[in-house]
Amino acid sequence: MKQLTQQIIEFYEKLSSWEHAVVKGSELSPGQIHAIEIIGHEESLRMKELAEKLGITTGTLTVMVDKLEQKGLLRRQPHESDRRSYLIELTAAGREHFVSHHEYHLQLTEEITSVLTPQETTALGKILAKLIKQM
């Protein structure tokens, strides 16, 4: 178990380092680009849903959304059936950031899995899905 713990930590650190290097040249933080990435896949999310996916509080998310809205990358839209709730969606500029950053993620996934067989890649996907569900 000790070795697995160390491997998970090392994998996380390498992935985090890669992510910081990718966003270094942009005006966005890794947390902001993660929010854009999640919204880009979902099209729109309630604030509470986005906070859960990011693993942060809605208060922290509000500050992040304010900044991204000021940068013109996303917007709040009133929810159709719940007047107390807002949906967060990307603007055209936000969608450009999403597409560009998502391409980096696709390239990283190809690089990481290039040492695996197709069967191992499938198994890794199933294992990650199981672990994500557990978290």
Side-chain angles (χ1 to χ4, degrees):
M1 191 59 70
K2 183 179 177 183
Q3 182 181 2
L4 180 58
T5 299
Q6 290 172 330
Q7 289 169 322
I8 289 171
I9 291 168
E10 184 177 352
F11 184 80
Y12 169 79
E13 292 299 331
K14 286 185 177 194
L15 193 59
S16 181
S17 177
W18 173 87
E19 190 73 39
H20 279 83
V22 167
V23 298
K24 189 176 183 179
S26 76
E27 76 275 12
L28 302 174
S29 71
Q32 290 172 330
I33 199 67
H34 286 153
I36 289 171
E37 180 89 13
I38 290 168
I39 297 165
H41 285 291
E42 301 287 336
E43 295 298 322
S44 67
L45 286 170
R46 292 179 189 209
M47 290 281 285
K48 183 178 179 183
E49 295 168 328
L50 181 56
E52 287 172 3
K53 288 185 177 283
L54 287 168
I56 60 176
T57 66
T58 53
T60 300
L61 179 62
T62 298
V63 173
M64 182 187 299
V65 167
D66 287 346
K67 289 179 181 176
L68 290 171
E69 201 169 31
Q70 289 169 1
K71 293 177 188 235
L73 300 176
L74 55 80
R75 65 179 154 262
R76 293 176 174 101
Q77 295 291 354
H79 193 278
E80 290 179 11
S81 60
D82 184 356
R83 294 187 344 214
R84 300 168 297 163
S85 183
Y86 286 91
L87 292 173
I88 307 303
E89 57 187 39
L90 297 179
T91 62
R95 175 128 320 263
E96 287 178 23
H97 276 278
F98 163 70
V99 169
S100 173
H101 193 74
H102 185 63
E103 187 59 38
Y104 284 121
H105 281 179
L106 292 173
Q107 290 171 7
L108 175 66
T109 303
E110 285 182 23
E111 287 175 27
I112 290 173
T113 59
S114 68
V115 298
L116 303 176
T117 66
Q119 295 81 11
E120 289 171 328
T121 301
T122 300
L124 176 62
K126 288 179 182 178
I127 291 167
L128 287 173
K130 203 174 204 180
L131 293 174
I132 291 166
K133 189 176 181 181
Q134 176 67 21
M135 298 173 93

